[in-house]
Amino acid sequence: MFNAIPKKFKPFIEGLAVGCVFISITLLFEIPLYMSFIIGALAALGGYRNSIKMDLDKESKKDKKQQRDQD
């Protein structure tokens, strides 16, 4: 069902989702809007980088498992 999205867009979507959540949370605490956007942008960048890192870790674990199965 969710395989319609190409893998290259996954980090962007996850980063955007993290940024939106952080903006929403900071608005609940009545932080000024510009600060909420700054925090959201930084969170989105972190979410993007974390998504890429987790995908690489997942692939390396998969490769290690395949190598063990072949031996």
Side-chain angles (χ1 to χ4, degrees), residues 37-62:
F37 285 143
I38 292 171
I39 292 168
L42 292 173
L45 181 63
Y48 171 77
R49 293 183 64 189
N50 190 38
S51 177
I52 291 173
K53 185 177 101 177
M54 288 178 63
D55 288 344
L56 290 175
D57 289 345
K58 189 175 171 183
E59 288 178 17
S60 68
K61 286 180 183 178
K62 185 178 176 183

Side-chain angles (χ1 to χ4, degrees), residues 15-50:
L16 184 63
V18 169
C20 290
V21 168
F22 270 81
I23 288 173
S24 300
I25 291 171
T26 55
L27 288 175
L28 288 174
F29 292 109
E30 297 181 6
I31 294 175
L33 186 61
Y34 72 93
M35 289 177 69
S36 294
F37 285 143
I38 292 171
I39 292 168
L42 292 173
L45 181 63
Y48 171 77
R49 293 183 64 189
N50 190 38

